[in-house]
Amino acid sequence: MEDSQELAMLSEVLLVSAPGKVILHGEHAVVHGKVALAVAVNLRTFLRLQPHSNGKVCLDLPNIGIKRVWDVARLQLQDTSSLEQGDASAPTAELVEKLEEVAAFPKDCADPARAAVLAFLYLYLCICRKQRTLPSLDIRVWSELPTGAGLGSSAAYSVCVASALLTACEEIPNPLKDGEPASRWTVEDLELINKWAFQGERVIHGNPSGVDNAVSVWGGALRYQQGKISLLKRPPALRILLTNTKVPRSTKALVASVRSRLLKFPEIVAPLLTSIDAISLECERMLGEMVAAPAPEHYLVLEELIDMNQHHLNALGVGHASLDQLCQVTMAHGLHSKLTGAGGGGCGITLLRPDLEQSVVEAVKQALSSCGFDCWETSIGAPGISVTRPPPWTPPCGKPWMASERSLCRCSPTTKPLPGLFWVPEPASVLAGGPQSQGRDLEPAADRAAQKTRSASCIPLSCPGGRATWGALTCPLTCGGASLLSSLQLPHTHPLWASAFSPDPLPTWLDAQMRECGS
């Protein structure tokens, strides 16, 4: 009976996704005991777990060009006595050193993939070691989040890995019920995911605050103060432009410079930090009011808070000419921007009011692109870690789309964006390929995706820029959208049907379900 249950577990494909994060208000002030507000940004990391019986564990990270394969039998022989059974224990230096040996990384290796691989091995060995034998798995992780930009990409990765492994090993149940396109875990299960994801972050960063993984797990918005994290009632999704100036910076150096300025000018800098704290609290109050009924005056207040906070951050000395340029470009179009994160370059956010015409947004993106910046049109307040029903097709031979192929940062704002999560051929090409082609995987290979961008024979099924994974069909149904779904023999309960008939950026069925599960 145990064997049959294990086989049933190993036959299930799992698809999960988790959001990144941005700091809305409270940068640098939080280091000095003030409040910071962090929100989930709807640029997501995706993980697909495929159980196997081939005795191998495969980790594929196409965004950074890494693919590692380990023999399960050899991993089984590793001395894992230092791992605490059933507990999210802190990784020790000795354990990390042992993981480096397993991963075949030399000591003090500077390989950018090192941390991601070690975090995966740590979570895999810790979570799966209670199984009679370590499971054979094929895991592929890809992301819309750029790395090293302060957007919580490593936390989203750790959250996806932890949730997938806990579910595959039946430490937590798969929350998807029959007929549901997407779902989230219970509060208790999310807390366990968060504990393990935090340990993955420890492997990567050493001593993280826990904010990034908490935002990625719970979604929405949270406040952080002196080590205490509290969730805020889920605010409405706010549209933003997220801009990466691509100017490198050192968070450690910037934090040190603010501390030095505080010691040098205490009577000047201390009130600035207190004022930033008041801005965070006022923003929290505004977001609370907007839960019930967002009004135009709320957006005006949010814009004022953004402007004041940006001036304060400049006074603290963490601004940069590139961020000034970002603010000037957006202000020329009546929009309001601030840095997010450490400053000194890095990323900035721009609030987009609901009544803003799309032509203005496109003009701003064009202007920012001409400055050499990367720009995403997305939203904040996104759902946290979620599980989605995998489409009824098999994985491709090629690699999945990369962040640059779904995000707007690589696309000229005046041209049609590159494809999203799924590309679907027109019915004619499906039928011409015969029955075998109807089961073909629709996750695009990166090279095919770019070639198909302007092809009339393809229909993008998700909206780039951080909108829903299951977006509305951009092609009218008269062009074959509905007949396409019929030709693929998808049940009418499948989410693609809802997408096909919904013009909304985020289909209401998914929005309502995600918000209900995440509240």
Side-chain angles (χ1 to χ4, degrees):
M1 183 67 178
E2 183 180 345
D3 289 343
S4 63
Q5 288 176 343
E6 185 176 11
L7 286 173
M9 177 192 71
L10 293 177
S11 65
E12 187 174 352
V13 176
L14 196 65
L15 180 64
V16 301
S17 73
K21 74 92 177 60
V22 295
I23 301 297
L24 195 55
H25 291 291
E27 298 95 335
H28 290 284
V30 69
V31 177
H32 302 276
K34 309 301 184 183
V35 170
L37 298 182
V39 291
V41 61
N42 204 24
L43 295 174
R44 304 181 75 86
T45 293
F46 298 84
L47 182 150
R48 180 185 173 114
L49 182 149
Q50 171 70 67
H52 286 294
S53 56
N54 60 1
K56 304 289 183 183
V57 177
C58 176
L59 176 65
D60 187 9
L61 307 175
N63 287 82
I64 56 177
I66 292 296
K67 187 171 185 178
R68 290 295 185 99
V69 180
W70 297 276
D71 186 83
V72 169
R74 292 189 63 184
L75 292 178
Q76 195 83 39
L77 295 174
Q78 294 295 322
D79 178 15
T80 56
S81 58
S82 57
L83 304 179
E84 292 288 339
Q85 283 216 32
D87 185 28
S89 57
T92 63
E94 294 77 15
L95 176 59
V96 172
E97 186 175 336
K98 182 172 287 293
L99 292 175
E100 287 178 333
E101 295 176 6
V102 175
F105 284 117
K107 286 187 177 181
D108 302 322
C109 173
D111 189 327
R114 170 187 173 277
V117 173
L118 294 184
F120 169 77
L121 282 174
Y122 173 79
L123 293 173
Y124 173 78
L125 292 173
C126 285
I127 293 172
C128 301
R129 70 189 305 267
K130 290 200 300 182
Q131 301 293 307
R132 187 175 57 186
T133 59
L134 292 173
S136 300
L137 302 172
D138 186 1
I139 292 181
R140 173 180 289 167
V141 187
W142 65 102
S143 185
E144 300 170 321
L145 292 162
T147 58
L151 300 178
S153 60
S154 66
Y157 169 79
S158 295
V159 168
C160 282
V161 172
S163 63
L165 292 176
L166 287 167
T167 304
C169 293
E170 297 187 326
E171 293 292 320
I172 58 176
N174 187 334
L176 271 179
K177 302 295 187 293
D178 289 342
E180 287 184 339
S183 186
R184 300 195 67 214
W185 287 268
T186 64
V187 170
E188 183 180 0
D189 292 339
L190 289 172
E191 288 175 347
L192 184 60
I193 292 172
N194 192 44
K195 286 181 180 179
W196 280 111
F198 181 59
Q199 303 312 321
E201 279 281 84
R202 278 181 160 182
V203 173
I204 295 172
H205 293 296
N207 188 30
S209 68
V211 170
D212 288 13
N213 52 276
V215 173
S216 194
V217 167
W218 300 102
L222 60 79
R223 68 135 65 187
Y224 178 84
Q225 186 176 24
Q226 295 181 332
K228 183 180 179 181
I229 297 173
S230 54
L231 301 176
L232 305 183
K233 194 170 182 180
R234 184 177 295 278
L238 301 176
R239 292 173 59 217
I240 65 164
L241 286 181
L242 176 62
T243 302
N244 187 359
T245 66
K246 298 187 286 188
V247 174
R249 74 277 185 271
S250 167
T251 299
K252 183 178 180 180
L254 288 162
V255 169
S257 70
V258 173
R259 187 177 300 276
S260 175
R261 185 167 290 199
L262 175 61
L263 293 173
K264 187 176 182 179
F265 305 108
E267 294 184 355
I268 299 173
V269 175
L272 286 174
L273 299 175
T274 301
S275 182
I276 290 176
D277 188 54
I279 289 172
S280 297
L281 294 175
E282 179 63 15
C283 181
E284 181 181 348
R285 189 181 72 83
M286 278 294 103
L287 294 177
E289 287 187 5
M290 295 175 73
V291 171
E297 52 266 27
H298 290 139
Y299 287 91
L300 294 176
V301 172
L302 292 180
E303 288 176 337
E304 284 188 87
L305 295 176
I306 285 173
D307 289 342
M308 287 189 288
N309 200 356
Q310 178 61 21
H311 288 306
H312 283 18
L313 290 166
N314 278 332
L316 290 178
V318 296
H320 190 271
S322 62
L323 293 166
D324 292 340
Q325 187 177 20
L326 162 63
C327 293
Q328 291 164 4
V329 167
T330 55
M331 183 60 74
H333 293 83
L335 303 181
H336 302 257
S337 305
K338 66 175 287 290
L339 67 84
T340 180
C347 292
I349 55 175
T350 305
L351 182 64
L352 302 178
R353 298 182 301 274
D355 60 349
L356 191 65
E357 294 184 3
Q358 190 60 31
S359 59
V360 176
V361 178
E362 296 300 325
V364 173
K365 290 191 293 187
Q366 179 69 68
L368 293 172
S369 178
S370 65
C371 295
F373 302 154
D374 287 348
C375 186
W376 296 260
E377 182 183 352
T378 182
S379 62
I380 54 178
I385 180 69
S386 310
V387 59
T388 304
R389 189 167 303 284
W393 41 71
T394 55
C397 297
K399 59 185 179 181
W401 52 268
M402 312 266 284
S404 60
E405 285 155 356
R406 180 154 186 262
S407 306
L408 298 184
C409 63
R410 302 296 180 191
C411 307
S412 167
T414 59
T415 61
K416 189 175 181 179
L418 286 166
L421 182 58
F422 300 107
W423 273 99
V424 177
E426 283 283 344
S429 60
V430 173
L431 299 177
Q436 292 182 345
S437 69
Q438 295 185 19
R440 188 177 302 157
D441 182 69
L442 304 182
E443 264 182 307
D447 52 352
R448 287 184 285 128
Q451 296 172 2
K452 291 181 178 180
T453 304
R454 296 177 178 83
S455 170
S457 65
C458 294
I459 306 172
L461 288 182
S462 70
C463 302
R467 296 182 182 178
T469 299
W470 305 104
L473 287 167
T474 60
C475 161
L477 293 177
T478 53
C479 295
S483 58
L484 163 65
L485 302 181
S486 298
S487 70
L488 291 176
Q489 300 179 341
L490 299 183
H492 283 271
T493 55
H494 195 279
L496 292 187
W497 277 104
S499 319
F501 291 95
S502 170
D504 301 328
L506 183 63
T508 53
W509 55 268
L510 182 58
D511 179 64
Q513 187 173 33
M514 291 293 213
R515 288 180 179 276
E516 180 180 354
C517 294
S519 60

